[in-house]
Amino acid sequence: MPLTLDISLSQTRHCNNRKENPPIAIIPTSSFPWDPGFVFGMDSKTPVENLYSIEPALSSSSRRSNFSIQSKASGGNSIREVTFTDLGSKPVRYGSHGADSETNALSQKEINDEDARLVHINDPVKTNERFEFAGNSIRTAKYSILTFVPRNLFEQFHRVAYIYFLVIAVLNQLPQLAVFGRGASILPLAIVLLVTAVKDAYEDYRRHRSDRIENNRLASVLVNYQFQQKKWKNIQVGEIIKLHANETIPCDIVLLSTSDPTGVAYVQTINLDGESNLKTRYAKQETLTKIPEEGKITGLIKCEKPNRNIYGFQANMEIDGKRLSLGPSNIILRGCELKNTAWAVGVAVYAGRETKVMLNSSGAPSKRSRLETHMNLEIIILSLFLIALCTVVSVCAAVWLRRHRDELDFLPFYRRKDFSDGEEDDYNYYGWGMEIFFTFLMSVIVFQIMIPISLYISMELVRVGQAYFMIRDTQMYDESSNSRFQCRALNINEDLGQIKYVFSDKTGTLTENKMEFQCASIWGVDYNGGKASSVDGYYVQVDGKVLRPKMKVKTDPELLQFARSGKETKEGSHVYDFFLALAACNTIVPLIIDTSDPTVKLIDYQGESPDEQALVYAAAAYGFMLIERTSGHIVIDIQGERQRFNVLGLHEFDSDRKRMSVILGFPDKSVKLFVKGADTSMFSVIERSLNVNIIRTTEAHLHSYSSSGLRTLVVGMRELSTSEFEVWHSAFETASTALMGRASLLRKVASNIENNLCVLGASGIEDKLQKGVPEAIESLRTAGIKVWVLTGDKQETAISIGYSSKLLTSKMTQFIINSNSKESCRKSLEDAIIMSKKLMTISDTANNAGGTSGAGLTPVALIIDGTSLVYILDSELEETLFQLACNCSVVLCCRVAPLQKAGIVALVKNRTSDMTLAIGDGANDVSMIQMADVGVGISGQEGRQAVMASDFAMGQFRFLVSLLLVHGHWNYQRMGYMILYNFYRNAVFVLLLFWYVLFTCFTLTTAITEWSSVLYSVIYTSVPTIVVGILDKDLSRRTLLKDPQLYGAGHRQECYNKRLFWITMIDTFWQSAVVFFIPLLAYWGSTIDGSSIGDLWTIAVVILVNLHLAMDVIRWNWITHAAIWGSIIATCICVIIIDALPSLVGYWAIFKIARTGLFWLCLLAIIVVALVPRFVVKVLYQLYTPCDVQIAREAEKFQSQRATGALEVEMNPILDPPRR
Amino acid sequence: MTDTDQERDRNKETAFYKFTQQTLPACKPVLTPAWVITIFLFTGCIFIPVGLVTLRASRSVVEIVDRYDAECVPEPFRIDKVSYVQDDSIPKNCSRFLKVHKYMKAPIYIYYQLDNYYQNHRRYVKSRSDQQLLHGRKYHGTSSCQPVEFNNDHAIVPCGLVAWSLFNDTFKFIRERAELKVNRKNIAWKSDRDHKFGKKVYPYNFQNGTLIGGGKLNPRIPLSDQEDLIVWMRISALPSFRKLYGRIEEDLDVDDVVVVHLMNNYNTYSFSGKKKLVLSTSSWLGGKNDFLGLAYVFVGSSSLILALVFMLLHLRYRR
């Protein structure tokens, strides 16, 4: 436990500001770091009546009930470094981060020798002598020339299908069992293996090539006190490496020193996680002064074994007898680029395949689709069927052999005895028992395609085709980010058609995660812009050059006026302080970018928190432009006048305090403390006695901001007296040099100074809803999909976003659960269940009384917060919550941790058989995405963690509608049909062979040539299946989007279910009997020879299965035509070719038989008789019990009022889900 | 020129675009009652006439079938037919009288029909060597011919069970004391004679073994001219089959009596197979078989009934 705790701590610190995203981690719910002084929305003992308010009886609109006191911190602020300037003295940094000593204490316990790797700095020989650490050469290629054949074959035979193929082929090689010729039995497997092998070889060649390029890149490495160029592949762990600006980092390196005097280095991690902003990394202060060229650096780094967590690193370094702890901010990872830093020196700790980026470069997760799982059951049924057929054949053969055992010796067509050597031998006869056994095996070989192995291959091809169309779909192309839809998992396309639950993240998924400063409340005055706001870009002119912020912000004219007026007026000075706080109290790094116009330069504010970026841009727009930030000072351009402030101290954000502060030394020698933080944490440190009115109005403003969906932050300040500063300074210095408990000491120092603040104001930042989100949610809900929103935001924000995204409506009854003990949770849940049941019965009776109107149902929304979930998840309350959630049409979970998100998904996934989909954009959604049946990543502002873990990735939330309602529906329908059709297609052929066996003494002679048997599923019938599986559309996109209820077809499993399977099998039985018996009876007692009738059967069955498909094709375009008719023609050509080879038995048979009228009459009779029952059933079904899809099809075709009317009446109601 | 090129490019692009957006122009047939009724009516209207024509063709065929395997064993040997037929010392001739009850127009096909004879048995089907039939002794890979492969270490030509069991009953037809002329040429497929049986392959050591399975062949005639063998070696599909023996090229009148002198050599007694002699005229359809005609009429009338049912349903339950 201490390990995970430690990681969570360090990570919270590390990433605290990018929403709520501790990376992939591991925050145990039990140690969930919520503020213990958390103000809960409701007292646990509050009577239930307070919880919900239900309008009496049947009123369609229940009053919204909102109890929770808006309170919780809004994610907040981060402070990355604690910097301190002793008024003009040399800058010194005290420790790179606060958690140092804790980590230290823990890590000494954690990293014991077995789990650690020891790296001797600048001594690769010693480092590597005991352990063989991986070199830095990487190898993504799988094969070498020598190992290609065996390894590739080995990998290919991991598929069960191929093994089945192989076993059958091997069986066929035994002389006793040789049903087919050698070539015919091995050829299909050989072709498949060869094609795959060629594809693999090509891919591997490309990997070899890129590996070679990568391995031969150069880096400067310290050799004999001099930096020399060395190829990447030769870099060893323990070597010291020097990097220059814009160079790519060759391996995972612990920083020793950088060009910055305080040891800061900026890296861009775009190759690692896709985030383009700069991240700061630090060298340890103790190693900063070492110059590798001059003196030998000796030291020992003890770090954890290589692992894939790119946000975690734990190590300690012994240098000069001191022991320092290292964390994730001291390491720069392979694949990143060094930016804005002239040089950096570090020691390699992980190299080559052990680097974090390589450990993370694993393929997409492999999942198995629900349809396929169901299908496997049917495959088992088919196997049993196969065994049954084989048993019938062998039993009959046994009986026949027994009855004729006296005749066998001389039977002209059996001739057991062989007299050729003069003595009597049994020829090819191994006794009765063995003969039966061989017959059984032979029948397995003959009937092998009963198990539709080709189906697996077709399914893969079809999925590739479907994926292609999803990727190419312009409706799912995001122009703003220029990103296409991505299909990362290839085997769950059809699951998209059966999704019942959608779990969505909020920030970045429903919203854009582009923070925009909206309004401010300064000194009790609300400046919310109103209508008069404008978006003039503010700029300053310096030396004739124009400097402007990269992003324009809407400004309030009144506020702008005050900001320009300077400190003279009272309002002006408050506004001055407020914006100064916004510009200074952050960790944003300004970057100056050249534009195409040489006189114009842009300022780009780089930082990890979008909130902070928005605030700094806002400050800039009002004339407080942050120009420069170093560890010791900041330069702010205030209304065109550059001012330099010394940064005397910085208390970074932590999740306990939920605020950050900065101590600024003003040019006039005064010292001020600026604090920015979440409202809950701020109001506890604000001096209440001062300005009571202002505090009250600010609180009111905050409430209205968060109710309208804005993210709020409160800003406060205090002037420090010299004595106060001195006290703080000495305390800070002691704390930051402390060896033990440094973090808590620093936190204590910060808390001591952050008090008695005077409130400056509050800011409201809007996280805009993405385009089309309300419509998308509406569509999904109409489609019968339950949308759950899981967010880290606070309740008010979540609810207001819920309203604006149409997730919540005013008609809904809301149950809000936020409790802080298990008991109160239980009580709230149980009460809520009772209430919801009451509501259901009320609406039920309403329905009964009121007849058909379905609107009597009161939709119920459940709003629950993370703290309650801590008590509920993993306890017996889970079941209660699930029951409640099932009754609710909307569930909104606020302030949930990443792991809780996964827990909620698991809650649903484990209790129902319904499909779940999770959609999110940030690292905090990874666990949820991986947990759900289908994971969708949004490639947005938050990097690529979610995308990397997802099955599908796209640019915007609204594409989900296209993805599910259109592509999901299509994919499901196509795949379901294709599987059934494949079962039918193979079974009909097997049964045809089986019927003939009954007329050949059960000896498995096939009238159909072995080549036709082999080619049947390869050439004769495969292409139309695949084409239809990729291209057929039951309904147009427009119809599907217009009537989302049509999605219910997937929920009801209309395209693939047990009933359909059995109907198909009965149909198969009939059709095969027709194909077999019509020619049999027509040619009974005639001169017909085996090959001729075999050709008739071949052609008949191929035409039959293709016409069967043609009958079910819904949309005929030229490709479908080409595939179906082409297949029939190809079959005829193949049969002709086979019969034109004199070496085969059937020479010229087709030419003979095709000249007779009987042949064509048989063919016509077969096709019609075989298809009539199916046709009649299909027609009756379509005309008299049509499904939604059918009605919509007709409506689409005729566009008539009648059909549309029918659609509305007959559409199955889905809004009310039956309880399971 | 460039304009048309561009236009073509644009067209191509849009066609491709339509393909990727899955909006290719397509026909979407929907089964409306009208369509369904039309389809059934159409099927009925096609099938019934075709069935009637087929039936008529089948009925026009005149066929005389005479089972002779039992009758042609003299009374004393009927207890043990197998030893009778295997005993070379006993003469096997037998006479049958066939009465023509309907005018038969030449050519009249002579078939022998075997029942319960599994020419399609796996062991039997495999026991031949097509390569040897074509290339004769030059071809050595005759292992498939077992158990009739070698005789005194020489490969038997033609080898294999199929050739070994060659049918060897012979028939002579006499009408009013005059022998009917039977044409036994061109009874086998021309393709087989030309490409499957060697013109220079002579059955020099055929049927010399200890166990005689059936007919012998004249060693001086090449296989390509041994039409009985070629016919026999085209394996029949079903356990009850006919094989062409020859053609009578004279018409037979009603009440003609044809006397058949036959040699009852072939042993079907050991496995209770039946032997029949068939004289049959021919139609465009082939032999006499009412099944397909009846099937067509049945399917045709069912379609009409279905059309009627759907019509009624449509009137009754109009959507």
Side-chain angles (χ1 to χ4, degrees), chain B residues 210-250:
Chain B
T210 42
L211 194 67
I212 310 296
K216 301 195 175 183
L217 296 174
N218 184 344
R220 276 180 293 279
I221 303 175
L223 289 187
S224 60
D225 290 338
Q226 305 269 12
E227 293 210 37
D228 282 327
L229 178 76
I230 298 175
V231 168
W232 181 253
M233 292 199 70
R234 197 144 265 283
I235 298 295
S236 73
L238 302 167
S240 169
F241 60 91
R242 291 175 184 179
K243 290 207 178 279
L244 190 57
Y245 181 79
R247 286 180 221 93
I248 299 175
E249 296 186 328
E250 292 167 55

Side-chain angles (χ1 to χ4, degrees), chain B residues 39-97:
Chain B
I39 288 169
F40 279 119
L41 281 178
F42 182 75
T43 317
C45 294
I46 297 286
F47 268 56
I48 291 179
V50 170
L52 292 175
V53 170
T54 313
L55 210 52
R56 204 173 141 232
S58 162
R59 293 277 161 89
S60 73
V61 172
V62 184
E63 196 180 76
I64 302 167
V65 182
D66 179 53
R67 179 177 171 189
Y68 64 89
D69 59 318
E71 306 279 315
C72 278
V73 180
E75 207 65 58
F77 299 103
R78 288 208 179 153
I79 308 142
D80 188 2
K81 294 172 189 159
V82 178
S83 53
Y84 161 78
V85 86
Q86 282 175 342
D87 192 344
D88 287 344
S89 58
I90 307 167
K92 301 292 187 333
N93 36 6
C94 167
S95 294
R96 306 288 300 167
F97 299 88

Side-chain angles (χ1 to χ4, degrees), chain A residues 1073-1139:
Chain A
V1074 168
V1075 176
F1076 178 77
F1077 285 102
I1078 286 186
L1080 182 87
L1081 294 171
Y1083 283 101
W1084 188 262
S1086 75
T1087 57
I1088 190 77
D1089 64 300
S1091 311
S1092 302
I1093 205 167
D1095 287 342
L1096 171 57
W1097 277 326
T1098 311
I1099 288 177
V1101 77
V1102 170
I1103 294 180
L1104 176 66
V1105 295
N1106 279 310
L1107 284 183
H1108 175 114
L1109 185 69
M1111 202 165 89
D1112 293 335
V1113 167
I1114 294 159
R1115 212 163 274 243
W1116 284 87
N1117 55 37
W1118 66 269
I1119 303 173
T1120 325
H1121 279 292
I1124 291 181
W1125 313 125
S1127 277
I1128 294 177
I1129 292 166
T1131 308
C1132 295
I1133 292 172
C1134 284
V1135 169
I1136 287 170
I1137 290 172
I1138 289 168
D1139 277 0

Side-chain angles (χ1 to χ4, degrees), chain A residues 406-419:
Chain A
D406 303 328
E407 303 162 5
L408 293 180
D409 287 356
F410 301 103
L411 208 53
F413 49 85
Y414 199 98
R415 260 300 288 282
R416 185 167 59 189
K417 289 271 185 284
D418 184 357
F419 300 94

Side-chain angles (χ1 to χ4, degrees), chain A residues 435-492:
Chain A
E435 283 299 300
I436 296 164
F437 178 63
F438 287 148
T439 306
F440 187 87
L441 288 183
M442 278 157 76
S443 46
V444 173
I445 297 174
V446 172
F447 302 149
Q448 57 173 296
I449 64 163
M450 190 72 175
I451 314 287
I453 293 305
S454 57
L455 175 58
Y456 288 99
I457 296 159
S458 317
M459 278 169 83
E460 271 179 40
L461 290 173
V462 165
R463 282 173 182 145
V464 168
Q466 292 176 345
Y468 173 80
F469 283 121
M470 289 195 275
I471 291 165
R472 294 299 296 247
D473 190 350
T474 48
Q475 309 272 310
M476 296 203 288
Y477 172 76
D478 186 21
E479 276 166 7
S480 59
S481 62
N482 191 23
S483 61
R484 273 190 181 152
F485 180 79
Q486 286 179 49
C487 215
R488 294 170 42 80
L490 262 184
N491 39 7
I492 54 171

Side-chain angles (χ1 to χ4, degrees), chain A residues 933-971:
Chain A
D933 293 308
V934 179
V936 178
I938 300 254
S939 39
Q941 312 284 312
E942 291 246 358
R944 298 189 48 81
Q945 283 288 310
V947 172
M948 297 302 280
S950 67
D951 304 312
F952 302 98
M954 54 197 190
Q956 301 244 334
F957 179 81
R958 70 191 149 98
F959 298 159
L960 197 60
V961 177
S962 272
L963 180 65
L964 296 185
L965 301 193
V966 180
H967 287 285
H969 178 91
W970 285 343
N971 291 347

